[in-house]
Amino acid sequence: MKADARFAFLFSGILMALAAPPLAAQETGDDSQQLEAIEVTGTRIKRAEAEGQTPILSIDRDQLEASGISSIGDILQRLSVSSSALNTKFNSAGNFGFPSDSGGVGSGSTTVSLRNLGAKRVLVLVDGVRWVNESSASGVNAAVDLNTIPFSIVERIEILTDGASSLYGSDAIAGVVNIITKKRQEGSTLRVYAGDYETGNGGTQTANVSLGGSASGYDFFMDLSHFDQKRISSNDWDQSRFPVPGTGVSLGSSATPTTRTLFFDGVDTHGGLCPLVDTDNDTVADTSFCNITANGTAAGPGFVHPFDNTGFHPFVGSVDRFNFARYNLLLTPSQRSGVFTQVRRDVGDTMTAWFRGMFQSRESVNQAAPEPIFIGPGAGTGGLPDTVGVDAAQPFNPFGQALDASSPDFVFAARRPLEGGPRVFTQNVETRYLSAGVQGSFQMLNQPYFWDVNLLSGRNRANQVVEGSYNIAHIARALGDPANCTAPCVPLNFFGGPGTITPDMLAYIAFTENDRSVQGIDGWSANVSGGVLPMPAGALEIAAGLEHRRLSGEYSPDAIVTAGETNGVPSLPTSGAYTVDEAYVEARVPLLADVAGAKLLDLSVALRYSDYSTFGGTTNGKLGVRWQATEEMTARATYAEGFRAPSVGELYGSPARFDATLTDPCNRPVADPVVSANCTALGVPAVYTQANTQISVSTGGNPDLDPETADSITAGFLYSPAWAGQKVWVDHMDFELTYYDHQIEDSIQPIDAATQLLRCAQTLDPEFCSGISRGVTGDINGFDNTLRNLGTVDTSGLDIGVDWFGPAMEGSQFSAHWQSTYVDEYKAVSKATGLREPNRPGVEVNDSSIPRFRSNLRLGWRGEALEAGWTLRYISSLTEQCGNGPKNFPICSNPNAGPTDPEDGLPIGLNDLDAILYHDVRVNWHVPGTTTLRISGGINNVLGEDPPVCLSCSLNGYDASLYDLPGQFGYIEASVGF
């Protein structure tokens, strides 16, 4: 029986239980109070009081709505404990290719990262049960897309900022996000919301209708929701209109609408093509357009370039490069519609059966500039384009002789056909999720016990349609011998300039790409908890359970892509699955209670064994201590072992390509004599100029990966002073301070590509140079950047929280909530070389950052009919490398600054990203009368702060993983109950 059929059978059994008449009440003692016990994220032991055991940040429904945002992921990314992660402000599809983790681009998704450890090290639960991983038809990702969970069904979110592999299994190294859904509702509620950005036309509208009720032992809740987010073009904001702010087109693309061509000078060493080029319509060959002149010295950029049909001119980067940025998006459009249903049925006095189901569809779009076409050995794609030339008899060949891809004279030719329009990537994603279970309680040895059995099955199915891509095999035929280009082939005018590619030519070389991917999860779990043995300080409590999961993933690119005939980014199919069987036990041991110096002292211990079909077994434990010295003060500490199993994509991901923006350290002239000599040893010519800032690197999975392991420590205290209740200015106050330290071994990631390239040039160490190859021009034509168990990651810091509630006065009350995180250390080190990766606190690198300090302060006032809130969000300053290009422009704030750490080996030139403080305001009005009408409105980023300029960021001139979009965002919403 297939997995889907098995789970359909099991779910039918649960539904029969839901439909069955209630059983007769059983005599089990006074269970009415015991059933009030709850399970809190961070422990499997159900009981009425669990506060202070583990560091948990809880966000209730009012706080979620007060953010003024209708996306769970966007809200979580604003928390001080969060860090850089994917969201819909990224427009990566088509711009870079496939990232190194084989997870795909993730277009249209939003994920959450805790402690700067990445989204794949955060476990996402819904009502304590695992959710299915994201799918966007570009790979097999290891993270959950929070956009697959409708905002309207959420009751609260609990965030455990502690390692929890012993309780929940893999992926919980950095913590757990547990999304608690609404279980019941009396009557119906309608909510509508509309918001818009000051910059562009990125309006957002949402609407949902929910209904629920209780009758004859039933509780039910149903929600219908729709979300519609419009696009904002990069051309709508000054900072994102050019590839790098403040540099014009100087750092734009080398693939231009007027074809750029590069040759070697035959007089020097190769004896061929370049001197035969007649660039100014006379009879004298003009070698000034060649890469190397007759005497071996550099002759400028060395390019020939058709221009306005008047002949050729040397390629000048500040004039001729292409501005691809204006085609991109600041905010990607997305539409999501979903239905969610939850039913609970009491079966007697001590047992409840439940069913939860959700279906959601999403359509999202990414857009990129018209696709460039590179041909020739210097194209550097590592695929078919590197072998394509132009036949001497090709009707549109302006050179009068063949451009032979096997000859050292011809380097490359590049054209960006504007006639084909921008690349448009449309993702259609369907999420189906079913879970069901039975839970209950019983008495044994005068102790209450709680049990539950759960089933789950989830699927994310995605299809991506790509328009504006080209078939390189058809391009090769259209540029080849005319005798071989018969219908439907049409000879291609590659060198004629904008407007010279006819509709017939375009129809032959273009194709519509269709890719798809599927992610699945199926599983069951059984848990029991309760008091085992009475002790002087309280009952010894335990929880134990079994769990089985099967995770599967599949990515199937278009047949033309699989055949290697796409002009775009190549990839191959990926498919894989694995199973895991687990058993765990947790115990709470009360040591002291109500004695001098200890109102409560207890230990918590947990142990989990996991058996994976991919690598075998692993055991992970956790030890915690909680000491409540007085009613006011509680101290706690935990030590946890963690692990993360390699995902399907990380294990089985097929080879693909990522077009990284990199500065080649061998770009001549090289100031460092050691690096210069090493570059010569690598075969780089003395007059080498890097032709393209995007260097193609090979990515993919690795079946030999081992699991990541981790050691996590937290320590802190909670303080609720009694004296606060005696002051006229306060009703009560709570203080919380938590220290954290996570150390990961065998981290699964590639070497940072920029670091690997630089270290190779500096040291010639095979650890770095292996897998990097260069052509006769010196350009990199091969770069292996696949996954490995790289080394260690160590991060530590402090969380600080303060809650203040003022006295209630005449029906109103003020409050303040402050949550901050200080990152003391973040250090990733390669175990093979002992060298440090570039990520660290206070640094922006690779479109992500680690602010040293993040802080959120929420001030509130609540009256009988009105509520008002003011939120301040602070992000500390960052520093980035300017790069060889931007440091020569005024936009680089410190062009002469050197590296801050000798270990960096960074080029001179640093840019400061200033600290930023966002202000958000919101007002709620509960309309008087018999209805429950509430009208709310607000403005996020009231002062219209723009994100700081980022020179190293790949797109739009700012870090989309950290900062808001530019300008104000205003919104209004209304809800009414019936």
Side-chain angles (χ1 to χ4, degrees), residues 111-188:
T111 61
V112 61
S113 170
L114 301 176
R115 304 301 192 204
N116 303 291
L117 294 175
K120 58 190 177 183
R121 297 186 180 114
V122 178
L123 177 61
V124 175
L125 308 174
V126 175
D127 292 322
V129 180
R130 286 177 179 255
W131 197 254
V132 61
N133 286 342
E134 77 95 9
S135 189
S136 294
S138 61
V140 183
N141 204 295
V144 166
D145 173 18
L146 295 168
N147 288 338
T148 60
I149 305 170
F151 175 81
S152 54
I153 71 173
V154 180
E155 181 68 34
R156 70 181 187 277
I157 301 175
E158 295 177 348
I159 302 150
L160 173 66
T161 56
D162 189 12
S165 293
S166 61
L167 295 174
Y168 300 107
S170 179
D171 308 333
I173 287 178
V176 178
V177 172
N178 191 7
I179 298 171
I180 311 300
T181 63
K182 296 179 181 179
K183 304 295 189 299
R184 59 181 60 86
Q185 177 178 296
E186 293 297 328
S188 303

Side-chain angles (χ1 to χ4, degrees), residues 247-254 256 258-261 288-289 299-307 312-322 691:
T247 66
V249 298
S250 296
L251 297 172
S253 172
S254 61
T256 67
T258 50
T259 308
R260 171 192 177 200
T261 312
S288 65
F289 298 94
F303 303 115
V304 292
H305 189 78
F307 182 71
F312 295 81
H313 73 263
F315 183 85
V316 180
S318 60
V319 175
D320 294 319
R321 285 186 178 272
F322 178 71

Side-chain angles (χ1 to χ4, degrees), residues 511-533:
F511 79 101
T512 298
E513 180 181 333
N514 285 274
D515 310 316
R516 67 180 183 88
S517 65
V518 181
Q519 289 253 48
I521 184 171
D522 301 293
W524 59 264
S525 63
N527 306 280
V528 63
S529 68
V532 176
L533 180 67

Side-chain angles (χ1 to χ4, degrees), residues 11 29 81 98 109 201 299 339 426 474 521 574 576 593 605 687 729 766 864:
F11 278 121
V81 297
F98 295 81
S109 299
N201 301 304
V339 57
T426 303
H474 285 193
I521 184 171
T574 292
V605 183
V687 291
W729 51 271
E864 293 183 356

Side-chain angles (χ1 to χ4, degrees), residues 150-153 182 185 189 207-211 221-226 338-342 359:
F151 175 81
S152 54
I153 71 173
K182 296 179 181 179
Q185 177 178 296
T189 299
N208 77 282
V209 177
S210 59
L211 62 154
F221 174 78
M222 176 178 287
D223 183 85
L224 303 172
S225 61
H226 179 72
V339 57
F340 173 84
T341 301
Q342 187 152 225
F359 172 82

Side-chain angles (χ1 to χ4, degrees), residues 98-104 138-142 574 647-655 699-702 787:
F98 295 81
S100 56
D101 65 357
S102 297
S138 61
V140 183
N141 204 295
T574 292
S647 69
V648 170
E650 290 170 329
L651 287 170
Y652 308 116
S654 300
T699 64
N702 181 352
L787 290 174

